[in-house]
Amino acid sequence: MSEPLILDGAATAKAIRAEVAARATKLKEAHGITPGLAAVLAGDNPASVTYVSMKRKACAKAGITSFEHVFGADATQEEVLACIHQLNADPNVHGILVQHPMPKGLDEDEILATVDPAKDVDGIGRASLGDLVLGHPSFVSCTPQGMMTLLKRYGIDPAGKHAVVIGRSVILGKPMAIALLNANATVTICHSKTQNLAELTRQADILVAAVGRPELITGEMLKPGAVVLDAGYNRVEGRGHDVGDCHFESCAAVASAITPVPGGVGPMTIATLLEQTVAAAERSVGK
Amino acid sequence: MSEPLILDGAATAKAIRAEVAARATKLKEAHGITPGLAAVLAGDNPASVTYVSMKRKACAKAGITSFEHVFGADATQEEVLACIHQLNADPNVHGILVQHPMPKGLDEDEILATVDPAKDVDGIGRASLGDLVLGHPSFVSCTPQGMMTLLKRYGIDPAGKHAVVIGRSVILGKPMAIALLNANATVTICHSKTQNLAELTRQADILVAAVGRPELITGEMLKPGAVVLDAGYNRVEGRGHDVGDCHFESCAAVASAITPVPGGVGPMTIATLLEQTVAAAERSVGK
């Protein structure tokens, strides 16, 4: 096999962030609107704190105002809901990101369902998920939407292809499967209860690994020429960087196109969050 | 092969309707509540008129009060929305069924999204669909939920099985695929853009045909021992009754279990609607 096309998420995300900054400038000049993204955080989950900090920096570079609402681990449901209602009503806030998991004692489902769908730029509220099933315009969970954008920007059309998605989480596998279906792929969703995983992955024209198991997918599990999207980022002792769900070397030897880890799917998540925030701000014009 | 098990939807639906009637009686005796189902109809789509009439009779037998709100084809969006709001607020109405398709000129999506999710016994509002994706308790579109009930009552557990769903409509294929995924099946969704359909159907432990093409699926497209659920009901000239999406004789020769048409999936739809209405009434107790 010749070398596969490397789907460069870092470069694509950089281009998207520049586009977002240009759109933010245009909104400011034409309508006096500065896009605003509010993060709601409760407790001190280190991954959430890191993500919010990355988001803050990325917003600043893209001309998006960051708002942060940080609650202690002992926050009450009423306090958090009151904050969401206030953000829903705030015209300076166009996107609302609720960091999850929230501490036990909070009803995360109710909190997520309270976010105005027009501001649900993280795409994980029930209305956004329902709109995705309906095929209506909606904000989609940022990592799957980022993968769809990668496919699009590299000219890979899922229509008529067999896409196999491994993993069925609500933020990754399920919305990715529905988005691929909406893009006219034939879609198979595999998970921990799947028998004969390799038989299914070998049928994939497009393989999406979103399962959180380091190097689960190896080259011999792929169809030659497959497009491989690896949403895994697993900490593995003794390895210098995060490890994907795919064994890169053996998969790259078989695939026609593949995302590296890091620098593949990962950077697309925040870029997509920014893109959906500026889109929400654009849609707010004239409302 | 021995004769397949016939999944008798007519008998199962009859049993469910009797259970619903018993639950309605209990609600009346214990809480003074009579379950109520409101149908909202606009225009004179003959299929909708027929369905509403069947529903009215079935409700009467099951101890459920029917309400009908019939608008002309020239109804305005405001009129229909006002009706939905009134039904949402009406404590005597536990389920709301919006007949679709609605006439052009009405924004059906907005109307469906306005139905209180707690009363969306038809399961096609965006909140209900989102809850289905989330794996939360929700009302599911009645035909797919009826098929899931058939599987359950015949002791067929989808967990670990490969289910292949043909068709991706919002009322049939998509919610069926998600429901099967939630029940731990590996799920493949096929549709008009699918290449090599037979290669995929031959992998199905459970095959769901929901595509509206008479006798598209023949026995040689099945894996021996497959469970076949046929949601098709196609009018075919010269045939005495509706014809399924599966060629019954050849499929029955290969399948381990199969739904006939008629008398299979069809009767489960209204039975499920009644079941979800009485469930909504039960959940309203104490609210």
Side-chain angles (χ1 to χ4, degrees), chain A residues 105-276:
Chain A
L106 292 178
D107 180 348
E108 181 178 297
D109 295 331
E110 186 189 20
I111 292 167
L112 289 171
T114 303
V115 173
D116 179 351
K119 298 188 177 188
D120 181 24
V121 292
D122 206 28
I124 57 172
R126 66 180 188 172
S128 300
L129 288 165
D131 278 335
L132 181 63
V133 174
L134 288 160
H136 294 166
S138 64
F139 294 122
V140 182
S141 180
C142 293
T143 306
Q145 181 61 28
M147 288 191 269
M148 294 303 292
T149 301
L150 261 186
L151 289 177
K152 192 170 186 182
R153 299 223 172 187
Y154 278 96
I156 300 165
D157 182 358
K161 305 253 174 46
H162 189 175
V164 176
V165 177
I166 309 162
R168 55 171 166 169
S169 75
V170 163
I171 60 169
L172 263 174
K174 279 183 182 175
M176 186 65 186
I178 301 167
L180 285 163
L181 181 65
N182 290 345
N184 293 319
T186 300
V187 180
T188 298
I189 317 177
C190 303
H191 46 79
S192 56
K193 299 289 193 300
T194 295
Q195 322 266 338
N196 305 323
L197 179 64
E199 265 179 45
L200 294 162
T201 58
R202 279 190 204 108
Q203 298 176 46
D205 301 309
I206 298 172
L207 183 106
V208 179
V211 70
R213 287 181 54 189
E215 299 175 338
L216 173 70
I217 307 300
T218 55
E220 66 264 30
M221 294 170 73
L222 297 181
K223 181 193 226 178
V227 172
V228 176
L229 300 171
D230 188 348
Y233 50 99
N234 308 285
R235 291 273 157 88
V236 175
E237 214 168 324
R239 299 284 285 272
H241 57 70
D242 282 347
V243 173
D245 291 348
C246 299
H247 183 269
F248 185 80
E249 288 72 19
S250 64
C251 287
V254 181
S256 65
I258 187 168
T259 56
V261 176
V265 172
M268 295 298 292
T269 300
I270 285 190
T272 302
L273 180 68
L274 301 177
E275 195 174 40
Q276 298 198 135

Side-chain angles (χ1 to χ4, degrees), chain B residues 157-179:
Chain B
D157 182 359
K161 304 256 175 44
H162 189 174
V164 176
V165 177
I166 308 162
R168 55 171 165 169
S169 75
V170 164
I171 59 168
L172 263 174
K174 280 183 180 175
M176 187 65 188
I178 301 168

